[in-house]
Amino acid sequence: MTDEDAYETERLSAKTGGISVGISSGAALWAAIKVAKRAENAGKNLLLFFNHLDFQKIKIN
């Protein structure tokens, strides 16, 4: 995994799931997606906790 993978997954999380996360959570999500796609995990549930959400990027008016 590269830093770019983590940043890309961070942006994907915000864009598709509406969850703004930091780089470390982006990396965790990237790894969780890879694990979930393994054949031995077919039909299983995967639970991932983000340590913190990136509230610094949210602008409140």
Side-chain angles (χ1 to χ4, degrees):
M1 180 179 98
T2 65
D3 287 348
E4 186 55 38
D5 292 330
Y7 283 118
E8 185 177 323
T9 308
E10 170 191 17
R11 290 187 294 271
L12 180 67
S13 173
K15 184 177 180 179
T16 61
I19 303 171
S20 180
V21 298
I23 182 75
S24 60
S25 295
L29 179 57
W30 183 91
I33 291 169
K34 296 299 179 190
V35 169
K37 288 183 177 182
R38 293 180 185 165
E40 67 266 21
N41 293 325
K44 295 181 181 178
N45 293 316
L46 181 72
L47 179 63
L48 174 65
F49 287 97
F50 295 123
N51 288 332
H52 88 286
L53 299 179
D54 194 4
F55 290 112
Q56 296 173 357
K57 293 184 179 179
I58 299 173
K59 182 179 178 183
I60 300 173
N61 292 326

